[in-house]
Structure formats: structure tokens, C-alpha cells
Amino acid sequence: HSLALRLDGTLAGWGKNNQYQITVPAGTDFQAVAAGYEHSLALKKNGSLAGWGNNQYSQANVPSGNDYQAIAAGGYHSLALRLNGSLAGWGRDTNGQATVPAGNDYTAVAAGWAHSIALKTNGSVVGWGYNGQGEIDIPPEAASGIRAISAGSHHNLALTQTGQIIAWGNNQQGQCDVPAEGGFVAIAAGGYHSLALQADGTIIGWGQNANQQCETPSHDDFVLPAAGYFHSLGLRLIGLSLIEPAGGETFQAGQETSIRWRSRGAVGQVRIEYSTNEGVSYQTVLPANEGNPLRYTWQIPPVTSDLCLVRLRSELETQIGHETTATFTIYQCLLSYDLTGDCRIDLLDLDRMAESWLQEDAANPCPLPADLAGNDCLVNLADLAALAGYWLACGNPFDPTCTTSR
């Protein structure tokens, strides 16, 4: 069976339900789930535990308390990691798999069919329980430098700080024949197969493949692998990625520009908003976007700011979204003496005036762009004086102290 935690804190379950293992409890206060053979566990946001499904060995009878931070469900036993770094175990214990070691220096825990492993703060792995296939014969290379662990039915995986994978235990199906290339960021051990997430967002699998559990899809947007007894799961990135504006652009008020984005997963209605104060507050674009068209034609509003941002949000899940990583500029130009069209009066405007001045005025039809004084169809010292006066009064409307009339 399979379990999933939704973004809103609710649970979902599917697959075999002969022991009600996928009849998930209601509520929006969950932060983690774990699937055993025929039982299930969940960790609540307040640090307490919930259990359901097969309870033949009391594996679903969770201990009381609200000081837990992680959970693991095995064949017929369960494990939990407390906030103080100590472990708890319950359920079937015929091989000592639920008799946890003492200490409060643990950072992760994993449960196999009848064995258990844990990761310590010093990066070493320890194991206890059934050892008929070398499940708890921890290899020397797993004595330090480990950052993640996963327990399969009768084998284990460990991920090193350098992205390498170490495996031990049952290898009859090649589930311990780990790839040598490295660069892995997450691992999952199933019944008789193994999965690993690569840094590029792809998942690879090895070991038993009778049910195609190792034939991973070719997507490159996975963020987490999970392995069941004979099946595999991959959590894909769901979200919105803003393409443009990317930041650094300059737009004039009233013009149209495209807002473009990529969408992954079931993102329906997309809200588009803009800010003119670097994200302190946002306003919805007008007219409002409808649906998820991946492109929106935006008419730039009548504002002047170089602290503008655009952000996208899913209407259903507001945690899903993206915004420009750098500010862009919108200007509403009110400078009548701006000769270059950049809404600034600076040396470029003086250069444009000089070009006009050096030409024969009579050869140019009126009105002349640089004829700023008297409209006499001449570019002369009077025009230069007018430009200089305006420049001194206000040469940059993005300066909040600037006035646009002299």
C-alpha cells in the first residue's frame, strides 16, 4: 500500500486495504507518514503519533507523548525518533527489532522486515534485530560520513556526504549492486529493489524488476523517491517557474509585455500579482488572469518605480508559486525635455542636443526635437539653457524628491 502527505497537512492512501491500512485518519495536522507491511503511521505537527491498520503485534498502538520528530514502519514493528535524539520501538520483537538501543545521539531511523537501523549524530550507522542475511552487519565504510539511511525488506542503503551509496544485506536480486557514479541526493530501499534520486532530478532503480519497480519514468523533476515491497513511487515537483520578466528590464507605462511561466503538476487557477515596492505589498494584474495559460499579456500600469516585482501563486495552494528574483523598472515619463526617451535628463540628452546644434537648422524641418526654447526652429544657447535648467530642477523621476515640472 501507499501513503502520501498533502501540502495542506491531510493524508491520502491507496492500494491494498485488507487491514484498513489506507483508511487514513482525518485532519490537517500531519507532517509525515510511514507505511509498514499492513500498518501505517503518521506524525502530527504537535509531535504526537497516530497508527492504524494491522495491529496483531500492537504495531499500530503508538506510544503517547508529543516529543517525536520522525517515524519508520517495518514489517510488523514500528520506530520513532524523539526530539531529544533518543529512539522508541514497539510491535513485534521476536528478533529484537523493536528493542531500541539507548542513547540520545540519533538523527534518523529506518525499519526493515524484522530489523532496524539508525543514523547517529557522528554520521555512523547502527543496526539491531534479525541478521540472517547480514542486515545489521554494518560495513566499515558506513561508520562515518553518512547523511541518510533506508531499510528494505532484508537490505539497507546509506547515502554518504559525498553523494555515494553504500548497500549491505540480501543481494539475491542485485538490490545491493549500487551504481558507482555518485552524485545522489536521496535513497529508498524496497522489498528487493532500490531507488536513488540524482542531482538532476531523475530517479534510477536496481534489483528485482519482476513488476517493473525499477523501470523509473524519464522525468527530471523528481524531488523524492519511495519504495514499497513490489512497487515504487516518485514525488514530482509541483509548481510554477516564472520565465519573464526575469528582472532588470525597463518597461514604459501603458505598453504591453508578456508574463510567461512554466507549470508542473496539477496547478489550476494562477494568480498574477505585481509589486512596486520590492515585495512589501502586491496588487493583482488587471484584468485578472484566468486559468493557467502559461502566458499573460500585461498592460503596464501607470506607475514609476525601479523596485518592481511580479509573482505567481496557485489559487488552490498559495505555497506554490514563484516571483522575479531581481527588480525591474516601470516608468511613466512626464519629462518634456527628455530627448532620448529614457525618462532621464542626462549627458545623453545633451549629446542629442549637440548633434542637432551642429547641424544646419535650416536644413531640418520644424519642429526640431531639441528646440526647447521659443519654438523658433533653431537649436541654440537658449535651448541649452532650458535643458540645463530642467536638468538641475529634476533630471531623474525615479528620485523620490524629484518634481516633474520646473
Side-chain angles (χ1 to χ4, degrees), residues 41 70-72 77-81 88-90 97-98 100 109-111 116-117 128:
L41 302 176
I71 51 177
H77 72 292
S78 303
L79 304 171
L81 172 66
W90 63 99
Q97 63 265 45
V100 298
V109 66
S116 304
I117 58 173
W128 62 98

Side-chain angles (χ1 to χ4, degrees), residues 139-348:
E141 56 267 36
S144 64
I146 304 301
R147 62 172 173 168
I149 55 174
S150 183
S153 179
H154 295 283
H155 75 291
N156 303 297
L157 302 177
L159 180 65
T160 71
Q161 294 288 351
T162 59
Q164 303 290 325
I165 297 174
I166 302 167
W168 66 98
N170 186 316
N171 195 33
Q172 291 179 345
Q173 301 289 334
Q175 62 266 46
C176 292
D177 293 335
V178 300
E181 58 263 34
F184 298 102
V185 295
I187 51 177
Y192 297 93
H193 72 290
S194 303
L195 304 173
L197 174 67
Q198 301 185 101
D200 63 2
T202 59
I203 292 177
I204 63 172
W206 62 97
Q208 187 187 71
N209 196 37
N211 295 283
Q212 293 78 51
Q213 58 264 53
C214 293
E215 295 180 12
T216 57
S218 58
H219 306 297
D220 63 355
D221 56 359
F222 288 107
V223 293
L224 189 68
Y229 204 77
F230 292 120
H231 72 292
S232 300
L233 301 174
L235 181 64
R236 296 180 65 189
L237 177 68
I238 178 172
L240 300 165
S241 299
L242 188 64
I243 301 173
E244 61 177 351
E249 301 93 343
T250 298
F251 303 108
Q252 185 171 355
Q255 77 177 86
E256 291 186 344
T257 189
S258 290
I259 298 174
R260 295 192 304 119
W261 64 91
R262 296 187 185 92
S263 177
R264 286 171 167 153
V267 180
Q269 178 70 12
V270 174
R271 183 194 314 164
I272 306 176
E273 300 169 313
Y274 71 94
S275 171
T276 59
N277 52 17
E278 206 169 10
V280 175
S281 60
Y282 279 90
Q283 302 178 62
T284 303
V285 298
L286 295 174
N289 175 60
E290 293 295 332
N292 187 9
L294 306 183
R295 179 189 291 268
Y296 176 85
T297 300
W298 183 33
Q299 185 170 16
I300 306 298
V303 297
T304 294
S305 172
D306 56 1
L307 299 176
C308 299
L309 298 170
V310 161
R311 76 176 181 186
L312 310 175
R313 288 291 183 270
S314 165
E315 288 283 8
L316 182 62
E317 299 288 353
T318 56
Q319 307 99 315
I320 298 172
H322 195 211
E323 68 180 24
T324 40
T325 56
T327 58
F328 58 89
T329 296
I330 298 175
Y331 69 90
Q332 182 179 207
C333 192
L334 301 174
L335 299 180
S336 57
Y337 290 1
D338 175 26
L339 301 181
T340 56
D342 61 358
C343 206
R344 296 175 187 270
I345 297 177
D346 52 22
L347 288 172
L348 292 176

Side-chain angles (χ1 to χ4, degrees), residues 336-337 339 352-353 356-357 361 365-380 382-384 386-387:
S336 57
Y337 290 1
L339 301 181
R352 181 65 57 84
M353 172 167 281
S356 299
W357 197 349
D361 292 331
C366 288
L368 297 174
D371 181 16
L372 306 179
N375 295 320
D376 55 6
C377 208
L378 294 173
V379 178
N380 51 30
D383 302 293
L384 178 60
L387 179 66

